[in-house]
Amino acid sequence: MFIDLLFTNDHSKIVYELCINNDGIQRNLDVSFELITVIENEFRFRYVDRDRISIVLSFLLNRLGLMKTKNSTIQSPDMERINSILSTKISDSNDQEYISSFLLGERVEGSLTLDSKVEDEANEISEHLISSLKKIHYFDSEDMKDIIRSLTVHVRAAIYRCRNNIHIRNELDEQVRFAIGVMYEFTKKELNVYETKYNLNFDQSEISYIALYLASIFETGVQEDLKVVIMIVCTFGLATSSILKSRMYQIFGDCFIVGPYSIEEAEKYLESHEVDLIISTNHMSVKSTNVIYINPLLKQNDIEMIRNTLFQESFMKMCSLFFNKNKVVEHDYHCLGEYISKNDVSISKGKISWEDAIRKAAAPLVAKGDIESKYVNTMIQAVNEFGTYMVITPKVAYVHAGKDDGVNRNCVSLLLLENEIQFGSFNTKPVIAIVVLGICDKEESQLLNIANILDIPENIELLKNSKNIESILSLHD
């Protein structure tokens, strides 16, 4: 309870400050730091959360003799080494083993030698994750060896934490599930194989940490493919066009820039080429391509607007790349009706705000008791807080909250919007459909399956034009 309070509670910083000033804990801090230092020197690593770990040790030392410590569920040579160090201050073997299991589950920097069983399990899980990611997009493991090594070290510690019911707090947990939801779901799915095999149960924080490693590897490996192609359209003359292009390269040098073109030249270029974004000093109408209107000398607000849009475009390209390659890997074919029931699909007519669109999309699930009202409010709050990362395929928003936010069973609903809306309160994106996902069981999530179907451009066109629910549910990958 105390470890959870100090490491995973929403108010853990306040708890930490209270502990620092507690007389009982203060009495044992010097001994705690001494033990930690000896252990770090023995194993040649350094604990990431050293100060918090010292408080846990101080608390445990203060409580010894007043409570019965539960037995550890594992034994290993590393635990025996730590027990030997702890025995200089702690006599009871159960106390030694419990504190050792806690210390072996903490994040470290530097080398870490564990018993061969956990070492083999961690290597196998890490290799599986990397191999699965390579099937989506090949990369050279040698180029990523440092981060792959860090991933493996993290998995080793995570195994210890799982087997000893020790939880860590990932302050980015929510952001990971919303901002890189695709990679979170991929990680969760791949880990599930080994959870069953090795009797493990990785919680959301552990999955989020591992997803961050995989996202870093994937995004580094696809950087060249994620470059956004920008067309500059400017009719202010050669000098103005030249300085606009020059400033674009200075500020956004990692993009491909074509132009500057006149409107007529741009229209001709687009007949045989595709671009991701058009930066124009004049109003022009281009179907299916985002156009940003700017001052030819690029004011600060223009730069911020372009930067935000480029980030969104790059994010969408990454998601699209992931889904396109994942389809080839999976080989299985599915239709939308396998994941969404007819009664959970609705069509909205007339104008509607994005908040009301989420409420309307979720209404069938609320009515059945699949999700609670607070789940709907949390989804809206997430969009307000994290932006429009939920739009991971063109024109479709996939909204969800956490499994502890009021979801009672796995469920999915779909709202088709007759009129396109701007989704979100900032960095808005156009959408024609809202998918609500209720994720109760960690092993079940239909995000990747549904997104695989709705990422297909032909399906989006059919979704736009169809008013028949049966035909919508027949869409397939």
Side-chain angles (χ1 to χ4, degrees), residues 225-237:
D225 295 321
L226 296 183
K227 283 192 175 182
V228 177
V229 180
I230 303 174
M231 172 189 281
I232 298 177
V233 179
C234 182
T235 57
F236 277 80

Side-chain angles (χ1 to χ4, degrees), residues 225-266:
D225 295 321
L226 296 183
K227 283 192 175 182
V228 177
V229 180
I230 303 174
M231 172 189 281
I232 298 177
V233 179
C234 182
T235 57
F236 277 80
L238 184 59
T240 305
S241 299
S242 298
I243 195 169
L244 174 58
K245 185 172 184 176
S246 173
R247 289 185 176 180
M248 285 290 297
Y249 269 123
Q250 289 176 30
I251 302 169
F252 311 108
D254 57 344
C255 299
F256 292 117
I257 300 176
V258 296
Y261 294 136
S262 66
I263 291 177
E264 292 76 17
E265 290 170 332

Side-chain angles (χ1 to χ4, degrees), residues 34-75:
E34 179 188 334
L35 289 170
I36 290 170
T37 301
V38 174
I39 291 168
E40 288 178 332
N41 291 338
E42 169 73 16
F43 285 85
R44 300 188 305 280
F45 62 59
R46 182 175 176 82
Y47 285 110
V48 174
D49 292 314
R50 201 173 196 268
D51 291 340
R52 289 178 190 265
I53 292 170
S54 68
I55 287 179
V56 171
L57 283 183
S58 298
F59 172 81
L60 291 171
L61 288 168
N62 195 46
R63 293 285 291 161
L64 294 184
L66 301 178
M67 58 187 267
K68 183 178 180 180
T69 307
K70 68 177 183 178
N71 293 325
S72 171
T73 58
I74 56 173
Q75 290 291 335

Side-chain angles (χ1 to χ4, degrees), residues 80-96:
E80 291 175 5
R81 290 165 69 189
I82 293 180
N83 287 348
S84 176
I85 295 168
L86 294 174
S87 66
T88 61
K89 306 293 181 183
I90 301 166
S91 58
D92 186 87
S93 60
N94 284 339
D95 294 331
Q96 293 170 13

